[in-house]
Amino acid sequence: MFRPKLPDVPTLPTTAVTHQQTQAPVASAGRPVAPYVGIGAGAVGAVVVVGIVLTALLAAVAVSAVSVAIAAVVLRSLVNGAHKR
């Protein structure tokens, strides 16, 4: 009562119709694509690593510049304070 009833499978005709199609050869673009496909993962990894290194260097330069600027302001205020006394 609760089991589903599957429909009967229709029988297919036994004669198969085949269409013969001929494909024209594809013209070459002049340079092979295959050598560039295998480089993908390594090249992406190298670009990511170089980007991380360059970003870290830029951050280090920015932090150094800020610290030098703060040191210059402190030294200037000390020198100006010593001249006023």
Side-chain angles (χ1 to χ4, degrees):
M1 180 173 158
F2 291 110
R3 291 188 183 194
K5 185 176 181 184
L6 298 175
D8 295 332
V9 178
T11 58
L12 297 176
T14 57
T15 58
V17 179
T18 58
H19 298 284
Q20 293 182 353
Q21 295 179 353
T22 58
Q23 295 179 351
V26 179
S28 177
R31 56 184 173 178
V33 179
Y36 301 111
V37 174
I39 302 174
V44 170
V47 168
V48 168
V49 168
V50 169
I52 290 171
V53 168
L54 290 178
T55 304
L57 288 174
L58 181 63
V61 169
V63 168
S64 299
V66 169
S67 64
V68 167
I70 291 172
V73 169
V74 169
L75 286 175
R76 183 177 174 188
S77 68
L78 290 175
V79 170
N80 284 339
H83 284 280
K84 289 183 181 178
R85 291 183 185 177

